[in-house]
C-alpha cells in the first residue's frame, strides 16, 4: 500500500521507502501489486511492481484488487500513516480475512496500541518506561477537567492522525476550548491525549529493525536540535546524536528495544521517540511508529543502511544475520552502522505560497521538504545544509543578510519559525548573551556553542585581506564548511 497524495506533513519521504521495498521483494521473485493514488511518484513507475493501481486509497479499491488477483500477503508499513490507517480499516471490515490475506511487517494489535494514545501509555507504564503525565479525553467536558488538573502549558494530541495534524500546544486557558475542539474533530475516533508539556526537553529518535527471531539492531540515533514542542518533521535534526552521555544513550537503547518487543512479535522496522530532560537524567517515552517512517528515510541516507529494503526482507521471513547490508556487500545486516561524519537535516518550508499561514512552528508539521548536509563535523554539515536550502543564503551567515533588529530577533528566538536558526546566528553577532539565547530557544548549549564559534572565526578572518590571510585560518574556515563566497564576503573581495 503506497502513501497516497502528497500533502503537507506527508511528503515524498515514503516514496523512497516504497520503491526500495518493491525492488527488494522483486529480488526474491515475489510478484508485487502496488496501490497508490499519486502518479507523481517513483514507486508507481511501471518497472517497480508487476501491477500498479492508480486508485484512491480506500477499502473499495482494495476489494477490487483482491477480487482480480490472487494475493497472499499485504505489506502496509512502507506507505506512512495513510497505509497503516487503510490496513486497519480493511481489517475492521474483515476484508483481509474474507480473502485470506496475511498482514506482514507489522501486527494489527501493534498498530492499534501505538496509535491509541491511552493504550500506549498504559503499555509503557506496564513495562516500567516513564511517560509524561497525561490523560485521555473523548469529550469536551472531560478535556476541560483534565486541563484544570494539569495546568498550562499543555499538549493536545489526537489519536490516529499523521504529521501531528490537529495537535497543539496550549499556553493560555483562553485558547484551550478552540484547540480542544479542533483536536477532537481531527481524530477519526474523536479522542485526544492531553499531556503536560515537556517544554525545552531534548528530543531523540531511534530507528530499529527486528527479525522473526527477535534479533534487534539500532540503525541510527537522531537528535533534534530543536527541543520538544516542535514536530520532528519541522525540527533541524542531527545524526548521530551529539549531546547524549554514553550512559544515557545505553539506557535509551535498552528502553527502545524493550518498547519494540512489548508491542508485538512482528518482523520489520520501527521508530521510537524519546524526550530527555536538559540534565540528561530523565528519559521519557513519547511514541512508537511501527512502520518505516520519515526519519528512517533520513537514517538510510545518513548511514547508507537501506532500512526499507532490509525491513521488506525481514517481513517475508529472512533473519538479520542472513542478509548483507548493501553498503559494503560483505558485512551482515546484523551489524549496527557507526559513522565518522555528521548529518544535519534542515526542513524546507514554503510559507510564501500560503498567504496568511501561521508561520510559527509547533506540533503540526508544516515543512514541504528537507535538505541534508554531510560533513566531518557539525559546523560543516550545518553550513552545507544551509547552502542547499535555496533561500538565497550562502551558509549560516557571512553573506551580508544578517538581521540587526534586536526586538525582532528576540521575538523569533522565543517563537520559532522557518528562520530561527539564522536568527540564533544574528543574535550572537549582535552580542545578545549566550544565556538569553539559551533561555529563549532551549536549544542545547553544545549546539549554541558551535554556532558561537563560527562568529568568533568570522571576526578573526575579517581582520585580514586576501593577500594576508594565513593558510591555517583559510584551512579552518574550509573545514567548518565555509563556501568561497562567504570567505570572499569576510575578506571583502570577489568570490573568483
Amino acid at each position: 500500500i503506497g502513501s497516497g497524495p502528497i500533502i503537507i506533513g506527508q511528503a515524498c519521504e515514503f516514496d523512497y521507502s516504497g520503491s526500495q521495498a518493491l525492488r527488494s521483494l522483486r529480488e526474491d521473485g515475489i510478484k508485487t501489486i502496488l496501490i497508490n493514488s499519486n502518479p507523481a511518484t517513483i514507486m508507481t513507475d511501471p518497472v517497480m511492481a508487476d501491477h500498479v493501481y492508480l486508485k484512491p486509497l480506500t477499502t473499495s479499491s482494495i476489494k477490487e484488487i483482491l477480487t482480480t488477483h490472487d494475493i497472499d500477503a499485504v505489506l502496509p508499513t512502507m506507505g506512512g500513516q495513510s497505509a497503516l490507517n487503510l490496513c486497519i480499516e480493511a481489517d475492521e471490515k474483515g476484508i483481509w480475512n474474507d480473502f485470506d490475506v496475511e498482514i506482514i511487517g507489522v501486527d494489527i494489535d501493534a498498530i492499534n496500541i501505538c496509535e491509541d494514545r491511552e493504550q500506549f501509555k498504559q503499555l509503557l507504564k506496564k513495562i516500567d518506561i516513564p511517560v509524561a503525565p497525561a490523560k485521555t479525553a473523548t469529550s469536551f467536558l472531560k478535556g476541560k477537567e483534565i486541563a484544570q488538573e494539569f495546568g498550562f502549558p499543555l499538549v493536545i494530541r489526537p489519536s490516529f492522525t499523521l504529521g501531528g495534524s490537529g495537535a497543539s500546544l496550549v499556553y493560555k486557558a483562553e485558547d484551550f476550548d478552540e484547540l480542544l475542539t479542533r483536536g477532537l474533530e481531527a481524530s477519526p475516533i474523536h479522542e485526544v491525549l492531553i499531556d503536560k508539556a515537556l517544554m525545552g526537553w531534548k528530543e531523540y529518535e531511534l530507528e530499529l529493525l527486528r527479525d522473526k527471531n527477535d534479533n534487534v539492531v539500532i540503525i541510527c540515533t537522531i537528535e533534534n536540535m530543536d527541543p520538544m514542542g516542535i514536530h520532528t518533521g519541522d525540527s533541524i535534526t542531527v545524526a548521530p546524536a551529539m549531546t547524549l552521555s554514553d550512559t544515557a544513550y545505553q539506557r535509551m537503547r535498552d528502553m527502545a528495544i524493550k518498547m519494540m518487543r512489548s508491542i508485538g512479535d512482528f518482523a520489520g522496522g520501527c521508530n521510537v521517540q524519546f524526550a530527555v530532560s536538559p540534565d540528561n537524567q530523565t528519559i521519557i517515552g513519547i511514541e512508537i511508529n511501527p512502520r518505516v517512517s520519515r526519519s528512517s528515510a533520513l537514517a538510510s541516507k545518513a548511514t547508507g543502511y537501506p532500512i526499507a529494503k532490509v525491513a521488506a526482507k525481514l517481513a517475508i521471513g529472512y533473519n538479520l544475520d542472513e542478509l548483507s547490508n548493501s553498503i559494503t556487500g560483505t558485512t551482515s545486516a546484523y551489524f549496527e552502522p557507526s559513522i565518522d561524519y555528521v548529518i544535519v537535516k534542515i526542513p524546507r518550508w514554503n510559507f510564501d505560497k500560503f498567504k496568511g499561514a501561521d508561520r510559527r512552528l509547533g506540533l503540526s508539521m508544516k515543512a514541504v521538504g528537507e535538505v541534508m548536509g554531510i560533513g566531518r563535523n557539525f559546523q560543516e554539515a550545518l553550513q552545507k545544509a544551509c547552502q542547499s536550502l535555496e533561500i538565497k543564503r550562502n551558509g549560516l551567515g557571512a553573506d551580508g543578510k544578517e538581521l540587526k533588529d534586536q526586538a525582532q530577533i528576540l521575538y523569533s528566538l522565543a517563537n520559532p519559525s522557518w528562520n530561527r536558526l539564522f536568527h540564533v546566528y544574528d543574535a550572537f553577532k549582535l552580542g545578545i548573551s549566550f544565556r538569553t539565547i539559551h533561555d529563549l530557544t532551549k536549544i542545547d548549549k553544545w549546539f549554541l556553542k558551535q554556532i558561537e564559534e563560527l562568529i568568533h572565526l568570522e571576526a578573526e578572518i575579517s581582520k585580514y585581506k586576501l593577500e594576508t590571510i594565513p593558510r591555517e585560518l583559510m584551512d579552518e574556515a574550509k573545514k567548518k564548511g565555509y563556501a568561497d563566497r562567504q570567505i570572499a564576503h569576510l575578506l571583502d573581495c570577489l568570490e573568483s
Side-chain angles (χ1 to χ4, degrees), residues 240-254:
M242 292 283 147
T243 70
L244 265 185
S245 64
D246 188 52
T247 44
Y249 168 64
Q250 296 302 338
R251 271 169 57 211
M252 193 184 280
R253 191 199 145 84
D254 293 344

Side-chain angles (χ1 to χ4, degrees), residues 42-55:
I42 299 166
M43 68 167 92
T44 49
D45 200 290
V47 300
M48 283 290 171
D50 293 283
H51 298 279
V52 175
Y53 281 87
L54 287 171
K55 286 192 171 294

Side-chain angles (χ1 to χ4, degrees), residues 15-27 32 48 75 77-78 292 307-313:
D15 190 21
Y16 182 78
S17 316
S19 310
Q20 269 196 24
L22 287 168
R23 288 169 58 186
S24 181
L25 294 168
R26 174 163 281 192
E27 278 178 2
T32 52
M48 283 290 171
L75 182 60
T77 53
M78 301 292 165
V292 176
I307 295 178
K309 178 185 171 180
V310 174
K313 294 260 198 261

Side-chain angles (χ1 to χ4, degrees), residues 129-176:
I129 304 259
V131 288
K135 288 194 169 168
T136 309
T138 47
S139 72
F140 185 79
L141 285 172
K142 180 77 183 129
K144 295 284 280 183
E145 274 173 35
I146 297 168
Q148 276 170 334
E149 182 187 335
F150 284 164
F152 296 93
L154 288 173
V155 177
I156 299 174
R157 301 175 196 275
S159 293
F160 291 94
T161 60
L162 177 100
S165 64
S168 46
L169 256 173
V170 194
Y171 291 100
K172 301 195 286 288
E174 53 264 34
D175 302 336
F176 183 71

Side-chain angles (χ1 to χ4, degrees), residues 122-394:
Q122 296 311 331
L123 174 77
L124 290 194
K125 283 187 170 160
K126 200 171 94 186
I127 59 172
D128 285 336
I129 304 259
V131 288
K135 288 194 169 168
T136 309
T138 47
S139 72
F140 185 79
L141 285 172
K142 180 77 183 129
K144 295 284 280 183
E145 274 173 35
I146 297 168
Q148 276 170 334
E149 182 187 335
F150 284 164
F152 296 93
L154 288 173
V155 177
I156 299 174
R157 301 175 196 275
S159 293
F160 291 94
T161 60
L162 177 100
S165 64
S168 46
L169 256 173
V170 194
Y171 291 100
K172 301 195 286 288
E174 53 264 34
D175 302 336
F176 183 71
D177 293 11
E178 185 196 333
L179 296 170
L180 174 62
T181 309
R182 191 173 89 190
L184 287 166
E185 283 168 2
S187 166
I189 59 168
H190 205 70
E191 173 189 280
V192 296
L193 183 76
I194 298 174
D195 56 2
K196 194 96 184 91
L198 301 167
M199 298 308 295
W201 283 43
K202 305 197 288 185
E203 190 171 3
Y204 295 88
E205 290 181 85
L206 275 65
E207 295 298 327
L208 288 77
L209 282 173
R210 176 177 62 175
D211 64 22
K212 63 180 193 299
N213 287 349
D214 208 20
N215 296 313
V216 181
V217 279
I218 293 180
I219 306 304
C220 191
T221 310
I222 300 172
E223 174 164 4
N224 287 239
M225 184 172 132
D226 294 293
M228 290 284 293
I230 298 179
H231 188 282
T232 322
D234 275 349
S235 293
I236 296 167
T237 59
V238 186
M242 292 283 147
T243 70
L244 265 185
S245 64
D246 188 52
T247 44
Y249 168 64
Q250 296 302 338
R251 271 169 57 211
M252 193 184 280
R253 191 199 145 84
D254 293 344
M255 284 160 85
I257 294 174
K258 192 173 180 183
M259 282 158 78
M260 186 172 186
R261 285 181 169 150
S262 70
I263 59 173
D265 54 6
F266 58 93
C270 189
N271 154 280
V272 189
Q273 290 177 10
F274 292 101
V276 177
S277 59
D279 60 4
N280 276 347
Q281 293 306 306
T282 314
I283 302 177
I284 280 183
I286 306 175
E287 67 175 0
I288 289 189
N289 289 310
R291 57 179 167 84
V292 176
S293 68
R294 143 180 28 251
S295 310
S296 28
L298 178 78
S300 296
K301 293 172 188 148
T303 57
Y305 189 109
I307 295 178
K309 178 185 171 180
V310 174
K313 294 260 198 261
L314 300 177
I316 55 173
Y318 279 96
N319 289 329
L320 281 162
D321 53 356
E322 297 171 329
L323 299 168
S324 79
N325 98 24
S326 55
I327 327 168
T328 57
T330 50
T331 318
S332 149
Y334 197 18
F335 276 93
E336 298 186 350
S338 65
I339 54 180
D340 59 350
Y341 48 88
V342 180
I343 300 288
V344 172
K345 172 213 92 179
I346 304 181
R348 174 108 165 67
W349 295 271
N350 227 335
F351 289 125
D352 293 343
K353 281 191 181 168
F354 303 99
K355 290 283 175 270
D358 178 1
R359 295 180 174 219
R360 280 174 312 172
L361 304 179
L363 298 176
S364 295
M365 185 174 160
K366 296 178 180 179
V368 292
E370 56 192 36
V371 299
M372 185 175 101
I374 306 182
R376 274 284 174 205
N377 54 54
F378 171 72
Q379 292 163 325
E380 184 188 1
L382 182 71
Q383 295 247 48
K384 282 185 178 178
C386 292
Q387 285 151 13
S388 313
L389 279 168
E390 294 178 358
I391 52 168
K392 303 188 170 63
R393 296 296 300 243
N394 297 329

Side-chain angles (χ1 to χ4, degrees), residues 3 49 55 62 110-111 204 212 254 306 317 344 396 434 444:
S3 55
K55 286 192 171 294
I62 296 271
I111 306 175
Y204 295 88
K212 63 180 193 299
D254 293 344
V344 172
L396 186 55
F434 189 97
D444 190 274

